[in-house]
């Protein structure tokens, strides 16, 4: 586990004032160390990036005696020691690890704005939690949902047969319908129930078709749903969709990869939707509109169809 430290990270470790998400991650880290210190002490690596210092490493991680890495710059040279440790532990080639370096460089901006980031599994995945006063997508989730409907789109629905339902015709209509559903529910479980009741038949027309993002709130923070360049384990992030926002999908595919920590209603197997998407920075909010030319992949388990049964064509 590579734990990117910061003052916010240290505060969460030593007080009850930090981010609930980071506090939860730290409690798991403490439990691992307590259960088998010999195994986990060398495997939990605090990473100190500028402008922070070793003083920002929580005391329980033994900042003076345990393994730690402090770098002067976020670059291949600056992170060479970290990459050497990670590639040796995972027994992969240095070239493979270096290919993941841009993801660390991009997330460095978050750390300097009051966020703490835990990079888990040989820097393959990142779990990000920010302070409430930071510039983060959890705070701006509602505003982003309001921005999902800017351009009108026509011709989404064709003639509707007796066993089909017409998909909403524009981003504006989709936004209005989801806002109304949001006012009727107090949880994502209720939102799932209402959306299921409205799934009256197969989608009609040529697509794309609207889906609603659900179940992305963790410990009171909306972590959002990542848009990815592929549906495979190796992918770049192209931005984030907030909870209860609308994305427009063209087709569905199955891969051999599922996101980590998928469970319950969100576990639908390695199924992915190809959605219309405006690419942005990896952790920045963006919107999906049916007339966009760019595409991205999103996990199907956190996307529920809006006014249709979700049986879109295979990619």
């Amino acid at each position: 586990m590579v734990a990117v430290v910061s003052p916010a990270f240290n505060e969460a470790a030593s007080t009850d004032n930090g981010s609930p998400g980071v506090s939860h991650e730290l409690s798991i880290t403490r439990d691992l160390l307590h259960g088998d210190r010999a195994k986990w002490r060398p495997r939990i690596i605090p990473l100190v990036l500028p402008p922070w210092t070793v003083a920002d490493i929580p005391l329980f991680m033994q900042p003076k005696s345990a393994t730690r890495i402090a770098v002067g710059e976020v670059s291949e040279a600056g992170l060479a020691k970290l990459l050497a440790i990670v590639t040796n532990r995972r027994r992969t080639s240095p070239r493979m690890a270096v290919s993941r370096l841009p993801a660390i460089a991009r997330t460095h901006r978050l750390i300097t704005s009051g966020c703490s980031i835990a990079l888990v599994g040989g820097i393959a995945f990142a779990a990000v939690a920010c302070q409430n006063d930071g510039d983060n997508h959890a705070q701006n989730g509602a505003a982003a949902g309001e921005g999902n409907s800017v351009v009108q789109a026509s011709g989404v629905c064709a003639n509707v047969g007796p066993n089909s339902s017409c998909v909403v015709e524009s981003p504006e209509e989709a936004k209005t319908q989801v806002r109304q559903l949001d006012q009727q529910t107090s949880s994502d479980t209720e939102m799932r129930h209402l959306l299921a009741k409205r799934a009256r038949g197969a989608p009609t027309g040529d697509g794309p078709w609207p889906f609603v993002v659900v179940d992305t709130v963790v410990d009171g923070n909306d972590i959002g749903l990542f848009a990815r360049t592929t549906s495979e384990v190796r992918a770049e992030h192209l931005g984030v969709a907030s909870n209860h926002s609308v994305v427009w999908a063209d087709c569905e595919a199955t891969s051999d990869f599922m996101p980590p920590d998928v469970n319950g209603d969100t576990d639908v197997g390695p199924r992915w939707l190809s959605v219309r998407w405006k690419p942005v920075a990896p952790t920045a909010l963006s919107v999906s509109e049916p007339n966009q030319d760019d595409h991205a992949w999103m996990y199907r388990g956190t996307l529920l169809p809006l006014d249709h049964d979700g049986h879109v064509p295979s990619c």
Side-chain angles (χ1 to χ4, degrees):
M1 176 187 295
V2 179
V4 183
V5 303
S6 68
F9 187 81
N10 200 3
E11 182 181 15
S14 57
T15 71
D16 294 327
N17 300 325
S19 163
V22 178
S23 298
H24 176 68
E25 294 163 4
L26 286 166
S27 68
I28 294 175
T29 306
R30 284 194 181 92
D31 195 64
L32 292 172
L33 287 169
H34 183 74
D36 193 342
R37 179 166 292 274
K39 174 182 178 180
W40 285 102
R41 179 178 169 182
R43 287 173 169 81
I44 297 174
I45 305 173
L47 176 63
V48 183
L49 300 175
W52 313 131
T53 69
V54 173
D56 295 309
I57 300 175
L59 183 61
F60 82 90
M61 289 185 174
Q62 298 178 248
K64 295 181 180 180
S65 60
T67 300
R68 69 177 188 275
I69 297 176
V71 304
E73 62 178 14
V74 182
S75 66
E76 183 172 334
L79 292 168
K81 183 178 179 181
L82 171 66
L83 295 173
I85 292 175
V86 169
T87 54
N88 181 60
R89 295 271 163 76
R90 291 173 60 84
R91 297 182 182 178
T92 57
S93 67
R95 182 178 180 183
M96 178 184 294
V98 170
S99 70
R100 292 169 179 161
L101 179 61
I104 297 180
R106 285 192 298 269
T107 56
H108 181 233
R109 176 183 59 80
L110 288 174
I111 301 172
T112 58
S113 64
C115 300
S116 59
I117 303 176
L119 297 172
V120 182
I123 65 177
F125 305 102
V128 183
C130 303
Q131 290 178 307
N132 289 335
D133 58 353
D135 180 17
N136 62 76
H137 64 258
Q139 284 181 308
N140 297 327
E146 292 294 320
N148 272 354
S149 308
V150 178
V151 180
Q152 293 288 332
S154 60
V156 175
C157 290
N159 294 330
V160 180
N163 297 319
S164 299
S165 60
C166 183
V167 174
V168 292
E169 294 186 352
S170 70
E172 185 64 37
E173 184 179 348
K175 179 186 72 172
T176 299
Q177 292 198 26
V178 173
R179 184 190 298 118
Q180 292 172 348
L181 291 174
D182 214 6
Q183 294 173 348
Q184 300 174 45
T185 60
S186 58
S187 67
D188 276 352
T189 299
E190 294 179 3
M191 175 65 81
R192 282 180 173 275
H193 179 69
L194 284 183
L195 288 171
K197 289 177 62 176
R198 295 165 61 100
R200 294 182 289 269
T204 59
D206 296 328
W209 298 278
F211 287 76
V212 181
V213 178
V214 295
D215 292 326
T216 64
V217 176
V218 178
D219 294 331
N221 294 320
D222 183 7
I223 63 175
L225 176 62
F226 278 116
R228 310 170 87 249
T229 53
T230 75
S231 60
E232 308 298 328
V233 63
R234 292 196 181 190
E236 297 289 331
H237 288 164
L238 300 174
V240 180
S242 60
N243 203 44
H244 296 182
S245 61
V246 178
V247 299
W248 296 79
D250 287 288
C251 56
E252 179 177 319
T254 302
S255 75
D256 58 357
F257 169 67
M258 287 179 58
D261 301 325
V262 168
N263 54 59
D265 291 333
T266 60
D267 185 354
V268 296
R271 297 166 57 192
W272 298 83
L273 289 176
S274 175
V275 304
R276 304 291 180 97
W277 187 254
K278 180 181 179 181
V280 293
T283 57
L285 284 168
S286 187
V287 296
S288 174
E289 294 173 350
N291 61 344
Q292 287 172 331
D293 294 328
D294 292 315
H295 289 75
W297 291 94
M298 287 185 165
Y299 184 60
R300 177 66 173 82
T302 48
L303 291 171
L304 295 184
L306 178 61
D307 281 354
H308 60 94
D309 62 11
H311 292 155
V312 298
S314 298
C315 297

